[in-house]
Amino acid sequence: ETCTSCPFGRYLQGSSCVQSCLPGRFATKTAPFICERCSVTCSECQDSANHCTSCPEGTTLNGSTNTCESECDDGFFKNIQSGQCETCEDPCEHCLNKTTCTTCSSPPYLKLTT
């Protein structure tokens, strides 16, 4: 059977009504309720094509902007467990993890330990 619209709570994907969209697609929140493709920069997305929830291999999810990036921006580090960019603690300008600064904002200075 070919569908052209779906009842509330179901989404049109191709010519079928489905309860949830396939990976790589998101459900629109307004009529017509359809499954649309995520941006090519996202593996999976939510609410819009550019609101990434997971990223292709070789990129990292920036949780602040919900975008996939090749590297984390200044003031962020890549969390190995989640694969997401997370914020460095003050006064770090660049960091290896939440508390290990590689460069500091001024006026604090980096204390080297061995």
Side-chain angles (χ1 to χ4, degrees):
E1 183 175 322
T2 301
C3 299
T4 56
S5 64
C6 298
F8 182 78
R10 297 181 68 84
Y11 305 95
L12 185 62
Q13 185 166 285
S15 60
S16 302
C17 291
V18 296
Q19 285 186 314
S20 60
C21 299
L22 291 172
R25 296 177 179 265
F26 70 98
T28 59
K29 300 293 182 193
T30 57
F33 300 101
I34 60 175
C35 294
E36 290 190 0
R37 289 186 188 275
C38 298
S39 163
V40 295
T41 60
C42 305
S43 291
E44 294 185 33
C45 62
Q46 179 180 347
D47 300 329
S48 75
N50 295 313
H51 183 114
C52 302
T53 56
S54 68
C55 299
E57 190 173 327
T59 62
T60 300
L61 181 64
N62 181 324
S64 298
T65 61
N66 293 99
T67 57
C68 296
E69 302 171 350
S70 56
E71 291 185 18
C72 298
D73 291 337
D74 289 350
F76 293 87
F77 69 95
K78 184 174 181 175
N79 181 310
I80 302 302
Q81 283 79 32
S82 70
Q84 295 188 6
C85 292
E86 295 184 9
T87 307
C88 298
E89 291 286 317
D90 280 338
C92 297
E93 188 172 319
H94 301 95
C95 60
L96 297 175
N97 56 46
K98 195 95 172 151
T99 57
T100 307
C101 294
T102 55
T103 58
C104 297
S105 316
S106 18
Y109 298 97
L110 187 61
K111 179 181 178 183
L112 299 174
T113 58
T114 57

